[in-house]
Amino acid sequence: MHLINLLALLFQAAGPAAAGSILFSGGTIIGFKAATDSTPESLDVVRNGSVLVTDDRIAGVFSGAAPADQVPEGTETVNISKKIITTGFIDTHKHGWQTAFKTLGSNTSLPDYFNRYGEFATEGLLTADDVYLGQLTGIYEALNGGVTTILDHAHHTWSNATSQAGLKASIDSGGRIFWAYAFHHIANFTVAEQVANFRDLATKADFEGTPTTLGVAYDLFGPNPDLEEVKTVMGLVKEFNASVITTHSLQGPWGYDNSPEDVSNLGYLNISTPIVFSHASFLTATGATLLRSTNQYISITAESEMHYGHTHPVSHLIQDQASLGIDTHFTYSSDILTQARLWLQSTRRKLYAEVLGRWQIGAHNPMSVNQAFLLATRNGGLALRRDDLGVLRVGAKADLVVWDGTSPALLGWNDPVAAVILHASVADIEHVLVDGKFRKRDFKLVDKTYPDIQAKFLASAERIQNVLIETPLPVLNGSFLSGYPYADPLRVDVQRGAGDAYGEQFLAEQI
Ligand SMILES: *[C@@H]1O[C@H](CO)[C@@H](O)[C@H](O)[C@H]1NC(C)=O
Ligand SMILES: *[C@@H]1O[C@H](CO)[C@@H](O)[C@H](O)[C@H]1NC(C)=O
Ligand SMILES: *[C@@H]1O[C@H](CO)[C@@H](O)[C@H](O)[C@H]1NC(C)=O
Ligand SMILES: *[C@@H]1O[C@H](CO)[C@@H](O)[C@H](O)[C@H]1NC(C)=O
Ligand SMILES: *[C@@H]1O[C@H](CO)[C@@H](O)[C@H](O)[C@H]1NC(C)=O
Ligand SMILES: *[C@@H]1O[C@H](CO)[C@@H](O)[C@H](O)[C@H]1NC(C)=O
Ligand SMILES: *[C@@H]1O[C@H](CO)[C@@H](O)[C@H](O)[C@H]1NC(C)=O
Ligand SMILES: *[C@@H]1O[C@H](CO)[C@@H](O)[C@H](O)[C@H]1NC(C)=O
Ligand SMILES: [Zn+2]
């Protein structure tokens, strides 16, 4: 090494973290206030304030200008006058590898999904390169939309190579990915091989020093679990201190239980590892009590539960142990902001309807924008048992979003929380940082290789889409896996006159 480089390095190391500090100055901050003896925790709005980031953490939140003696020399200043700065959104349920299916599932139901797009139906369809490209572009879509943390239920674990590819893409994205390795019963990769693969990935620890961590996904807790297999999987969780466990939980007519009761009966619910139950559509009162007493969370994927029909009849009653997720981003957007808005308004509708059902008039709005904001941010952090995620306060991770407060959509805003939750869109997101590093800057993803990644992804997606277009749609009659019969929902028609004008899917086979 040249002496001059060495000196520069030494200087950097000795100086007050010069290269690593950024000051966002003169904007509106949606901060976070911890609980006190007399007040619950809450959002804390600071106007005309500054946020200092040093390395991967928030080092200061100031009302007005940051005091000069607290700003390290060499700090880069970003003027956020008239803008809003918030913590990043947290998505607690996604399958990042599915990007290549984009727009193919516009009218799928959940049984369609299982037969066509799920981890079992698509085994063998994607190469390791396909998984890498789908996972990376899927995460970039999320980062672009202000999602800084994702719990990825990674069920692209069909081989050593596809597993490794999804993990590598997660790391390369720079996002904060809780990459949860799925152990599952598939055709050509036994659970024993998956265990060896998991050990390999955990031991190599390529994620070390990055925001990505290794978790576990498992959908066979109940009914009728294989006790030996559960023990093996939970043994890995303990041995490698997995950052999270996640499971698809439906219950009710769907079967596919993986309920809090199931996990509790196995003796694994009240553990220090966070467990996220995605959907929990038909959670029982007992299950809800168990979640509260063990401090485990569900992930409400508002849009997928409406799109596919699993629905969420009771989820509004357990929002104190809930977070928000995306699920299958190939069928709709990848940003948690849209989920928060859909969930907020559909919850309001449900609770108003209860009053109207008694022939009474709702006098107050049942859910506030602050609650929706917390669900999309803080509660995701709590679901992952990470007090330093989903909050903008000193000491928290510097996962941040800057919103353009003068965009056509936001112009005239007064309450910044309402501005974000009810008026903003992805188009208004100017900067996104994860772990103190810009991932989107001046409305653009910073990765200079993104155009090249896009080109490779498009070639991969074309091949995969062509295969699916040529595969006949599943015929769903008789009963679902749970034994409950299929039935047709009323198909509604927006066109006058007789006949089924449901329409076609406009899919082109690409050459
Ligand atoms: C914002 O704070 C700065 C520094 O304290 C001050 O100079 C400026 O006048 C303030 N602007 C507004 C609009 O209050
Ligand atoms: C920050 O930007 C605003 C315009 O958006 C400008 O009026 C102001 O002078 C800038 N502040 C500094 C310190 O450059
Ligand atoms: C499993 O491997 C066999 C042999 O290589 C192959 O024919 C089959 O298509 C594979 N099945 C899946 C689901 O990938
Ligand atoms: C997959 O990885 C495991 C663990 O490193 C190894 O034992 C096994 O041979 C690998 N399988 C293949 C097909 O390469
Ligand atoms: C396990 O990981 C958590 C963070 O996910 C950390 O707080 C804890 O110290 C780790 N425990 C051990 C024994 O390494
Ligand atoms: C969970 O475990 C803790 C000890 O780790 C214990 O104090 C608590 O009572 C347990 N809760 C339930 C519901 O079992
Ligand atoms: C299901 O559909 C297939 C093909 O349309 C038909 O042959 C079969 O009789 C149907 N089964 C039931 C139970 O309706
Ligand atoms: C979705 O739309 C396509 C095109 O109209 C149709 O062939 C298919 O049956 C539809 N699928 C479902 C589940 O309705
Ligand atoms: Zn899912």
Side-chain angles (χ1 to χ4, degrees):
M1 186 184 295
H2 289 297
L3 182 62
I4 196 134
N5 289 346
L6 185 64
L7 282 175
L9 261 183
L10 284 174
F11 181 75
Q12 265 183 11
S21 289
I22 309 165
L23 181 69
F24 294 92
S25 137
T28 296
I29 304 165
I30 303 183
F32 183 80
K33 238 188 330 214
T36 66
D37 289 344
S38 53
T39 54
E41 62 180 39
S42 67
L43 296 173
D44 181 25
V45 168
V46 179
R47 291 178 200 265
N48 189 23
S50 318
V51 176
L52 178 66
V53 170
T54 295
D55 300 328
D56 58 331
R57 300 268 171 188
I58 294 168
V61 177
F62 310 101
S63 161
D69 63 347
Q70 296 200 31
V71 181
E73 218 172 298
T75 296
E76 176 190 4
T77 300
V78 179
N79 183 352
I80 56 163
S81 160
K82 301 192 170 68
K83 302 182 198 300
I84 300 168
I85 186 166
T86 67
T87 184
F89 292 112
I90 298 184
D91 169 1
T92 54
H93 185 67
K94 180 169 173 174
H95 311 289
W97 63 270
Q98 295 179 326
T99 317
F101 305 151
K102 193 168 284 184
T103 71
L104 296 193
S106 66
N107 67 352
T108 46
S109 64
L110 194 55
D112 281 328
Y113 170 86
F114 282 132
N115 281 286
R116 204 169 159 78
Y117 303 106
E119 68 206 270
F120 307 107
T122 56
E123 183 185 358
L125 178 59
L126 279 77
T127 65
D129 282 347
D130 294 328
V131 169
Y132 180 86
L133 292 164
Q135 181 83 359
L136 184 58
T137 50
I139 296 172
Y140 275 175
E141 183 185 348
L143 286 171
N144 184 59
V147 177
T148 52
T149 296
I150 298 170
L151 166 45
D152 193 285
H153 184 129
H155 49 23
H156 57 76
T157 47
W158 299 292
S159 70
N160 288 352
T162 59
S163 306
Q164 163 72 27
L167 175 58
K168 182 164 175 12
S170 304
I171 295 167
D172 289 353
S173 75
R176 190 178 299 288
I177 315 301
F178 287 69
W179 186 78
Y181 188 110
F183 293 95
H184 46 180
H185 295 175
I186 52 170
N188 284 348
F189 196 42
T190 64
V191 171
E193 288 171 316
Q194 293 163 37
V195 169
N197 183 209
F198 180 89
R199 285 185 167 284
D200 198 33
L201 297 175
T203 318
K204 279 191 189 140
D206 291 336
F207 44 84
E208 200 86 14
T210 77
T212 289
T213 55
L214 191 57
V216 162
Y218 189 63
D219 286 348
L220 296 162
F221 286 114
N224 311 317
D226 173 338
L227 297 182
E228 274 311 303
E229 189 179 284
V230 171
K231 219 169 125 187
T232 301
V233 170
M234 295 307 291
L236 291 172
V237 166
K238 193 159 180 201
E239 182 180 345
F240 294 102
N241 192 24
S243 57
V244 69
I245 299 165
T246 190
T247 187
H248 283 111
S249 178
L250 292 179
Q251 307 184 246
W254 295 103
Y256 220 89
D257 290 1
N258 297 305
S259 64
E261 291 93 317
D262 290 333
V263 181
S264 180
N265 289 338
L266 290 162
Y268 291 117
L269 190 65
N270 191 23
I271 61 176
S272 60
T273 311
I275 306 178
V276 176
F277 295 85
S278 44
H279 317 307
S281 292
F282 288 81
L283 184 74
T284 66
T286 305
T289 302
L290 281 169
L291 292 176
R292 290 190 174 110
S293 66
T294 58
N295 197 25
Q296 302 291 12
Y297 277 68
I298 70 168
S299 177
I300 301 170
T301 65
E303 195 165 6
S304 89
E305 292 156 10
M306 293 194 265
H307 181 114
Y308 290 111
H310 15 345
T311 76
H312 30 235
V314 294
S315 300
H316 60 294
L317 301 174
I318 186 74
Q319 290 188 78
D320 52 323
Q321 297 293 142
S323 55
L324 287 177
I326 296 283
D327 202 6
T328 63
H329 66 295
F330 71 96
T331 37
Y332 41 75
S333 74
S334 222
D335 64 286
I336 283 292
L337 176 60
T338 299
Q339 299 302 319
R341 189 175 301 159
L342 277 171
W343 176 250
L344 172 65
Q345 302 293 32
S346 62
T347 300
R348 286 172 166 176
R349 173 185 182 275
K350 181 186 297 251
L351 296 174
Y352 278 133
E354 277 184 18
V355 176
L356 286 167
R358 297 194 295 269
W359 293 358
Q360 294 167 331
I361 302 297
H364 304 289
N365 192 312
M367 186 172 164
S368 72
V369 289
N370 292 17
Q371 296 288 300
F373 186 90
L374 285 166
L375 189 66
T377 55
R378 165 69 164 164
N379 278 28
L382 292 175
L384 298 164
R385 298 202 172 161
R386 289 287 300 265
D387 211 36
D388 59 347
L389 300 182
V391 287
L392 196 167
R393 70 163 169 220
V394 173
K397 285 286 190 180
D399 296 354
L400 295 166
V401 177
V402 176
W403 305 81
D404 176 10
T406 59
S407 75
L410 295 194
L411 192 68
W413 65 271
N414 187 332
D415 176 345
V417 184
V420 167
I421 292 294
L422 293 178
H423 295 271
S425 72
V426 169
D428 305 320
I429 297 179
E430 193 163 338
H431 311 306
V432 176
L433 287 89
V434 181
D435 225 31
K437 292 192 184 72
F438 279 96
R439 294 297 164 191
K440 180 182 189 181
R441 184 155 199 176
D442 302 326
F443 300 99
K444 276 207 161 75
L445 292 171
V446 297
D447 183 351
K448 293 274 184 296
T449 69
Y450 186 50
D452 180 46
I453 294 165
Q454 283 185 319
K456 288 185 178 136
F457 165 75
L458 286 175
S460 151
E462 184 180 314
R463 188 190 63 77
I464 293 165
Q465 293 188 1
N466 284 346
V467 173
L468 283 166
I469 289 167
E470 279 168 12
T471 309
L473 295 171
V475 177
L476 299 171
N477 56 15
S479 298
F480 185 60
L481 299 166
S482 57
Y484 282 78
Y486 289 125
D488 279 325
L490 176 68
R491 225 182 236 209
V492 285
D493 195 343
V494 306
Q495 289 167 284
R496 289 178 67 149
D500 179 4
Y502 189 74
E504 62 178 307
Q505 255 191 306
F506 298 104
L507 299 175
E509 253 189 79
Q510 290 142 7
I511 332 126

